[in-house]
Amino acid sequence: MDIQVFINELGKKFNTDLTLDDQFACSLQVDDVLVNFQYQKYDRTLLLYGLAAYAEEGFNWAQLERALEANLFGYESLTFHLGYYKAMHALVLSSVRQEKDLDVEEFAKLVLVFAEQVKKWEQEIRALADTESNSAQNSAEAKEEVILDINNFLRV
C-alpha cells in the first residue's frame, strides 16, 4: 500500500484527515499527546515519535538514569525507545516500523499504546524532577518548539 494511502486510512481510524506533507511528515493528536510521523523514503520506514519530557535546564541524573533503565532490552518501554535530544533538552519516545510490515488496523492500535506510553513517561520523568533546578517543563509552546526542531533535524 502506498504510504500516503496508508496515512490517510490511519487518519480515518482516528476520525481525522491525516496527510503527509511535502517533507513526508504529519502529526496526530491522540487525547492530549501529539504523535508525530516521519516517513523515510531512503529506507522505506515510518518513524513515530512523541515528546516524553522537556527540561530547559536539562535533566537530573535520576531522570536520565530512569530513561536508560527503561530502555534496557525494551521491557519497560514496550520496545519503544526513549532518547535524549540534546539540542532541545528533551526526552523523546520513538519507534521505527518497516513500510512493508505496516497494517492500518494494527498500526492504529500501536499508536494508541504509543500515546499512552508518552503520557506514562512524561509523568514518571516529571515526578523525578528536582524542583529547584530541573523541573520538567511541558507547556504547549515548549513542546511545539521541540517538535519543530526535531522535524528540522530529521529532514537534514
Side-chain angles (χ1 to χ4, degrees):
M1 174 184 302
D2 175 71
I3 192 64
Q4 191 66 268
V5 172
F6 175 82
I7 291 293
N8 294 145
E9 291 298 315
L10 180 65
K12 290 176 186 176
K13 295 289 178 193
F14 290 92
N15 299 315
T16 190
D17 291 327
L18 198 57
T19 305
L20 293 172
D21 64 18
D22 61 344
Q23 298 293 314
F24 300 99
C26 63
S27 299
L28 175 66
Q29 190 76 32
V30 179
D31 297 324
D32 59 343
V33 174
L34 187 65
V35 178
N36 303 280
F37 304 96
Q38 176 70 53
Y39 179 67
Q40 305 291 335
K41 285 177 72 173
Y42 66 91
D43 64 356
R44 302 176 65 89
T45 57
L46 186 61
L47 168 68
L48 65 152
Y49 63 96
L51 182 62
Y54 169 73
E56 188 174 346
E57 304 282 322
F59 293 95
N60 63 38
W61 175 247
Q63 292 169 306
L64 295 174
E65 182 179 50
R66 183 67 188 108
L68 286 169
E69 181 181 48
N71 272 333
L72 184 63
F73 307 122
Y75 294 134
E76 286 188 78
S77 62
L78 302 181
T79 73
F80 300 125
H81 305 282
L82 270 168
Y84 179 58
Y85 185 52
K86 185 177 180 177
M88 295 301 288
H89 308 288
L91 284 175
V92 177
L93 192 69
S94 66
S95 183
V96 177
R97 299 294 191 238
Q98 293 291 320
E99 180 182 12
K100 66 181 176 59
D101 299 332
L102 295 176
D103 173 82
V104 174
E105 296 292 330
E106 291 301 312
F107 197 76
K109 292 175 190 173
L110 177 77
V111 168
L112 292 173
V113 171
F114 182 82
E116 289 173 10
Q117 287 295 301
V118 169
K119 278 195 272 190
K120 172 192 178 217
W121 289 109
E122 180 179 21
Q123 292 167 354
E124 192 161 333
I125 296 301
R126 188 183 309 141
L128 293 171
D130 170 9
T131 55
E132 290 182 28
S133 63
N134 293 311
S135 68
Q137 299 175 7
N138 290 293
S139 71
E141 297 85 21
K143 285 182 173 184
E144 187 173 316
E145 185 179 335
V146 171
I147 294 303
L148 288 173
D149 195 76
I150 291 171
N151 288 343
N152 290 331
F153 174 78
L154 290 170
R155 292 178 184 145
V156 173

